[in-house]
Amino acid sequence: MSELILRLNAQAKSSVLSIQEYFTLAWNSLRFIFARPFYTQDVIQQMDEIGVKSLGIVLLTGLFTGMVLALQSSVQLQTFGASMYLGRLVAGSMIRELGPVLAGLMVAGRVGSGIAAQLGSMKVTEQIDALNTLGTDPIKKLATPRVLAALIMVPVLTIINDLVGIFGGNIIARFMVGLPTSLYWRTVWEQIASGGFTFRYIPNDFVQGLTKPLVFGAIISITACFFGLRTTGGTEGVGSATTKTVVTSSILILIVDYFLTQLLLSVLQSP
Amino acid sequence: MKENVRRRDDRTTGHVREAIRKELAADRSGEVDTPETKPADGRPIIELQDVSLAFDVPIIENISLTAKESETIAIVGESGTGKSTILKLMLRLLLPDRGCVLIGGEDITHLSFEEALKVRQKMGMVFQGAALFDSLTVFENVAYPVREHTDLREDEIEERVRQKLQLVDLEPDEVVDKLPSELSGGMRKRVGIARGMANDPEVMLYDEPTSGLDPLTTGTIARLILKLQRELGVTSIVVSHDIRSVFRMATRVALLHDHHIVFSGTPEEMSAAEDPYIRDFLGGA
């Protein structure tokens, strides 16, 4: 019995220590964005890796999500004779929810796993130790450029995802529901305007739709760096770090999305 | 029966020790360049004072070791006795549970992470697997510490990189554009040494510099380390299993056993030692 308690105690201590290390890494990664030396070249390279190379997968996800959303909704809306509101429904769902979450999940799968595998390999082949011995802080050199690039590129990918998704809805509205394109886009704008504005000109839907990917970008990159930098146990450890990164960041995205939505809805009350 | 086995073991150990003595004698006669094995009387560069470290189980206990200017100290011992741990303590990649680690007279155990990074710039480290950055070319690997810690112009950096590659007997034009994956094990080690030497450190640390190499390349790397010590006078700490190379390179040898240093002396003193563990260790080497 006492052995069980000791084991549980050790497990609890280890978990608390891991959470502490996660937040320390997050704080240092963000703090070093404003500290010299700036690894600008590394940031640009990571923006290419995270943003440009994820474009294909995000375009496909956005297009087909928008199309299937319009297709499913049109059946329901036709029942009530409300097909003209298809644009509102697709735009609201894509900008506020599906765009950020799907882009986040796609980036977590493609980029998060890549970062964890790369840093994990560097860890097990002593390249992280080599950086340390060469007088370079590995967090500043490796984590900060990735976190900064994700903070910039995940919102950009989300905007593209939203646009392509709404365009996909337009295709279904025009060719399968028979809704005029002008009416579709007018209802899209009505949806955006109906949510109210922040600082008079920024639609609240945009604030909500861009706050989320910013947070998701931080979650994906920090989680990937966290598991990558603490990899042990050779190639098996690298595989394990990759899996943990994708699972943890995906779950965190879904949980944080709920609380963030509640927070943003209470802060951005429509007039 | 047991007596016969013991006698045979003693004979084997004796043969190996005799071979080492002959090799050392040949080296001294000028066949191969060897370090001075007189005790160095320079200032202490690295000092470990009663250092202990444990991860659940003890790794090292009450270790004291001093490396003076231009000395080459080899740390030898069985696998898992904490040899590489000592290097990590010297670099402050690990902190001791007890004791002090002094670099140039400064206790590094109390330094902040940022201060420790500055201390590490005085040291060069060569890793067991070379630990070259696999996404960078040879040129970028060797230039990395120069770019990080100096304000040299690009042409000066290139000159420095070429000079360091020549120092480790590599032809710069042939290797600068290659990736680490395109190099042989021996070449990777040499590039690792060139990178470690890039900013002319006061101290070089070598973790198993000859492991995994064929005998010819092993000899080349050992001679190279010796050459760097002779030409540049850097203080070197070498962790190795390879007794032959160690005896060629080291001015002093420290033998780790059971978490402690059980022997510290010149290679000649070690080969002449009558201690049964040392005899076994050399016999099995």
Side-chain angles (χ1 to χ4, degrees), chain B residues 21-37:
Chain B
R21 278 204 199 100
K22 279 182 183 166
E23 204 163 85
L24 281 170
D27 287 351
R28 301 274 174 267
S29 69
E31 201 178 295
V32 180
D33 226 7
T34 54
E36 292 296 328
T37 54

Side-chain angles (χ1 to χ4, degrees), chain A residues 118 142 152 192 202 213 248:
Chain A
Q118 193 186 17
L142 300 173
I152 297 168
I192 293 168
I202 308 165
T248 309

Side-chain angles (χ1 to χ4, degrees), chain B residues 27-90:
Chain B
D27 287 351
R28 301 274 174 267
S29 69
E31 201 178 295
V32 180
D33 226 7
T34 54
E36 292 296 328
T37 54
K38 285 182 293 186
D41 43 13
R43 66 190 169 99
I45 300 289
I46 300 178
E47 286 176 89
L48 267 66
Q49 296 176 349
D50 291 322
V51 171
S52 300
L53 179 70
F55 300 126
D56 297 330
V57 290
I59 306 294
I60 50 171
E61 283 180 341
N62 302 318
I63 296 280
S64 292
L65 186 72
T66 303
K68 292 181 179 169
E69 208 169 1
S70 303
E71 249 192 329
T72 298
I73 294 191
I75 302 171
V76 296
E78 295 166 59
S79 299
T81 46
K83 303 187 293 295
S84 299
T85 304
I86 291 179
L87 291 188
K88 287 185 177 171
L89 285 165
M90 290 171 177

Side-chain angles (χ1 to χ4, degrees), chain A residues 39 127 131-132 134 136-137, chain B residues 113 120 133-134 144 148-149:
Chain A
Y39 294 103
Q127 291 177 54
L131 272 178
N132 257 319
L134 292 167
T136 300
D137 186 337
Chain B
F113 184 77
R120 285 179 203 142
F133 303 127
D134 45 22
Y144 183 84
E148 279 286 288
H149 304 299

Side-chain angles (χ1 to χ4, degrees), chain A residues 30-217:
Chain A
L30 295 169
R31 177 170 73 94
F32 288 147
I33 291 174
F34 308 101
R36 285 177 186 278
F38 302 117
Y39 294 103
T40 316
Q41 198 62 41
D42 292 346
V43 175
I44 293 168
Q45 193 189 334
Q46 289 306 317
M47 282 169 70
D48 177 52
E49 200 64 45
I50 295 170
V52 180
K53 291 184 181 165
S54 300
L55 209 54
I57 196 172
V58 167
L59 284 174
L60 278 175
T61 311
L63 182 69
F64 283 97
T65 305
M67 282 167 68
V68 80
L69 186 64
L71 198 59
Q72 288 280 16
S73 309
S74 68
V75 177
Q76 302 298 323
L77 291 173
Q78 271 168 352
T79 315
F80 302 106
S83 299
M84 60 183 292
Y85 295 116
L86 195 59
R88 281 190 84 132
L89 201 142
V90 172
S93 308
M94 285 304 296
I95 295 172
R96 288 181 174 199
E97 210 51 64
L98 288 175
V101 171
L102 288 176
L105 291 175
M106 288 298 123
V107 174
R110 205 199 78 82
V111 176
S113 57
I115 292 174
Q118 193 186 17
L119 298 190
S121 304
M122 288 183 77
K123 180 78 193 309
V124 299
T125 54
E126 295 183 305
Q127 291 177 54
I128 305 285
D129 281 344
L131 272 178
N132 257 319
T133 59
L134 292 167
T136 300
D137 186 337
I139 294 175
K140 196 181 278 186
K141 170 76 179 164
L142 300 173
T144 298
R146 283 164 175 79
V147 172
L148 181 57
L151 287 176
I152 297 168
M153 294 316 288
V154 178
V156 171
L157 288 171
T158 302
I159 292 170
I160 294 167
N161 196 24
D162 293 349
L163 280 172
V164 174
I166 296 170
F167 178 71
N170 185 21
I171 294 171
I172 297 298
R174 176 74 185 83
F175 296 105
M176 297 193 77
V177 184
L179 210 64
T181 301
S182 58
L183 178 63
Y184 178 84
W185 284 100
R186 199 168 67 232
T187 55
V188 166
W189 173 248
E190 277 172 13
Q191 165 60 33
I192 293 168
S194 69
F197 292 84
T198 300
F199 302 124
R200 285 184 66 186
Y201 300 110
I202 308 165
N204 282 346
D205 275 11
F206 287 3
V207 175
Q208 202 178 138
L210 289 177
T211 307
K212 287 179 178 179
L214 198 70
V215 177
F216 296 162

Side-chain angles (χ1 to χ4, degrees), chain B residues 11-213:
Chain B
R11 272 206 304 277
T12 313
T13 308
H15 289 322
V16 173
R17 281 144 53 88
E18 188 55 35
I20 290 171
R21 278 204 199 100
K22 279 182 183 166
E23 204 163 85
L24 281 170
D27 287 351
R28 301 274 174 267
S29 69
E31 201 178 295
V32 180
D33 226 7
T34 54
E36 292 296 328
T37 54
K38 285 182 293 186
D41 43 13
R43 66 190 169 99
I45 300 289
I46 300 178
E47 286 176 89
L48 267 66
Q49 296 176 349
D50 291 322
V51 171
S52 300
L53 179 70
F55 300 126
D56 297 330
V57 290
I59 306 294
I60 50 171
E61 283 180 341
N62 302 318
I63 296 280
S64 292
L65 186 72
T66 303
K68 292 181 179 169
E69 208 169 1
S70 303
E71 249 192 329
T72 298
I73 294 191
I75 302 171
V76 296
E78 295 166 59
S79 299
T81 46
K83 303 187 293 295
S84 299
T85 304
I86 291 179
L87 291 188
K88 287 185 177 171
L89 285 165
M90 290 171 177
L91 287 160
R92 202 192 168 279
L93 293 175
L94 291 173
L95 280 171
D97 297 333
R98 282 196 310 278
C100 301
V101 180
L102 285 82
I103 306 292
E106 183 185 17
D107 186 358
I108 60 165
T109 53
H110 303 300
L111 297 183
S112 67
F113 184 77
E114 281 78 13
E115 288 167 334
L117 287 176
K118 286 192 182 125
V119 170
R120 285 179 203 142
Q121 289 170 30
K122 296 181 196 168
M123 297 191 258
M125 170 85 183
V126 179
F127 289 86
Q128 192 169 348
L132 300 177
F133 303 127
D134 45 22
S135 57
L136 304 182
T137 62
V138 166
F139 179 87
E140 287 162 339
N141 262 285
V142 181
Y144 183 84
V146 188
R147 287 209 171 106
E148 279 286 288
H149 304 299
T150 69
D151 295 322
L152 292 183
R153 293 193 315 271
E154 201 51 36
D155 58 326
E156 291 171 320
I157 292 173
E158 187 176 342
E159 194 187 324
R160 172 87 66 96
V161 170
R162 286 179 171 275
Q163 180 203 341
K164 297 301 172 190
L165 288 172
Q166 279 163 350
L167 193 69
V168 295
D169 299 332
L170 284 172
E171 183 50 56
D173 288 330
E174 285 175 16
V175 293
V176 281
D177 293 327
K178 286 190 173 167
L179 287 168
S181 56
E182 297 171 294
L183 303 175
S184 67
M187 286 168 96
R188 271 204 289 272
K189 288 268 164 75
R190 286 192 229 181
V191 175
I193 295 171
R195 186 179 66 180
M197 298 291 300
N199 277 339
D200 301 322
E202 289 174 42
V203 179
M204 279 297 284
L205 308 175
Y206 301 89
D207 189 5
E208 302 280 4
T210 56
S211 75
L213 301 177

